[in-house]
Amino acid sequence: MKSGGRFRFPLEAVLKVRTLREEQAQLTLAKAQNQLARSRQALSDTLNLMAGTLERMKESTSLHASEYQLVLRYLDHLKMAREGWRDQVGRDETVVTEKMQALQKCHQERRLLENLRQKKYAEFRRELMKFLENQTEALVVTRWARS
């Protein structure tokens, strides 16, 4: 070992790639979570519209037949939209779960490489300390032998 040797981890490039993949997985998960939140909000808005329409129907005492049919069609439309949003929320939840699992996998891979790097660095430090200790002993013995 040379004096003043530098630590070099042979898998440093792989560790950087894993770190970038983990960051990309985090961004993808955030996008999926945002989409899920938008779908849930749309479902909530649809449910609120249905509740408001039903409440107005109950309050209204004099609805003509054509108005009644129009309101019923609107409610049918809202029911279909509600079912569509429920399906969309289910799909979005599945996507979020998949993205979460992918992120966990990326995180585990990165942590494994970081742990390996830390072990290699600790080994390097031990070897460096042994080398410096031997150099110091040799210097002391040389000085003592001259005296």
Side-chain angles (χ1 to χ4, degrees), residues 72-123:
L72 285 180
R73 282 191 216 141
Y74 180 63
L75 284 172
D76 286 339
H77 172 74
L78 289 177
K79 285 179 187 177
M80 289 189 310
R82 178 187 63 193
E83 295 308 313
W85 284 118
R86 282 184 179 164
D87 291 344
Q88 183 65 38
V89 167
R91 287 189 301 270
D92 290 346
E93 286 173 344
T94 303
V95 169
V96 166
T97 302
E98 291 170 359
K99 300 298 181 188
M100 183 72 75
Q101 290 171 349
L103 176 60
Q104 288 173 346
K105 182 182 175 197
C106 289
H107 180 72
Q108 288 173 349
E109 291 173 353
R110 183 188 55 82
R111 288 296 299 158
L112 178 69
L113 285 170
E114 282 182 348
N115 289 340
L116 181 60
R117 184 179 192 275
Q118 288 175 353
K119 287 179 184 177
K120 292 290 185 181
Y121 183 71
E123 183 180 313

Side-chain angles (χ1 to χ4, degrees), residues 10 13 22 31 42 48 62 69 74 80-81 89 103 108 113 115 124 128 130 139 143 146:
E22 183 180 8
K31 287 179 183 178
N48 289 339
S62 61
Q69 287 177 342
Y74 180 63
M80 289 189 310
V89 167
L103 176 60
Q108 288 173 349
L113 285 170
N115 289 340
F124 168 79
L128 180 63
K130 283 181 187 177
L139 185 63
R143 283 190 181 169
R146 287 187 187 169

